[in-house]
Amino acid sequence: MPTPAPAQPLRDPAAALASVGGDAELAHELFCALRAELPAELEALRACRAETDWPGLADYVHQMRTVIRYCGVPALDAALDALERAARIGDALRIDHDIEQVATQAGRLSNMPDRKTGEHE
């Protein structure tokens, strides 16, 4: 297993606001949409894993990361980055570990209180 990266914050409201030009309502909508989609996204990641489709997994994760950058979720992005790197080299053990890390971060996000970006967290 690789050395774990330094812990990332679960949420970065300032980054989320900056990514959408300061529109707090849009940042909140994107974050809520992300949280709603995470169970399906995890299912898709696990399906790629079950098929040992490493290139497909890497591409899928890359697309996820492109979308989540607007949501200000550094810990999830870091977990997805590790998963994408593992998939690009086809390291099944790291992939298994990293999918579980993604699931952990997704669970943490799902359990967060529903607050608009910019409110005190």
Side-chain angles (χ1 to χ4, degrees), residues 2 5 14 20 24-25 27 30 36 42 45 48 56 67 69 74 82 93 96-97 100 110 112 120:
V20 295
E25 189 64 34
L30 290 173
L42 284 169
L45 295 175
C48 287
V67 172
R69 286 193 180 118
L93 291 175
D96 290 342
H97 173 266
E100 290 314 307
S110 295
M112 284 187 70
H120 180 68

Side-chain angles (χ1 to χ4, degrees), residues 57-117:
L57 177 60
D59 290 343
Y60 193 86
V61 172
H62 185 77
Q63 290 173 5
M64 281 181 69
R65 291 187 69 218
T66 299
V67 172
I68 69 157
R69 286 193 180 118
Y70 292 98
C71 297
V73 289
L76 178 60
D77 186 48
L80 286 166
D81 178 56
L83 177 56
E84 182 179 357
R85 285 184 279 116
R88 296 243 180 255
I89 62 172
D91 185 332
L93 291 175
R94 276 183 52 198
I95 288 167
D96 290 342
H97 173 266
D98 293 340
I99 285 176
E100 290 314 307
Q101 292 301 309
V102 169
T104 296
Q105 297 308 322
R108 290 178 65 210
L109 288 169
S110 295
N111 292 324
M112 284 187 70
D114 188 17
R115 294 183 180 152
K116 288 189 179 180
T117 301

Side-chain angles (χ1 to χ4, degrees), residues 34-52:
L34 170 68
R35 286 177 23 164
E37 292 296 319
L38 281 174
E41 298 290 3
L42 284 169
E43 187 176 314
L45 295 175
R46 289 182 171 128
C48 287
R49 168 58 183 109
E51 296 169 8
T52 62

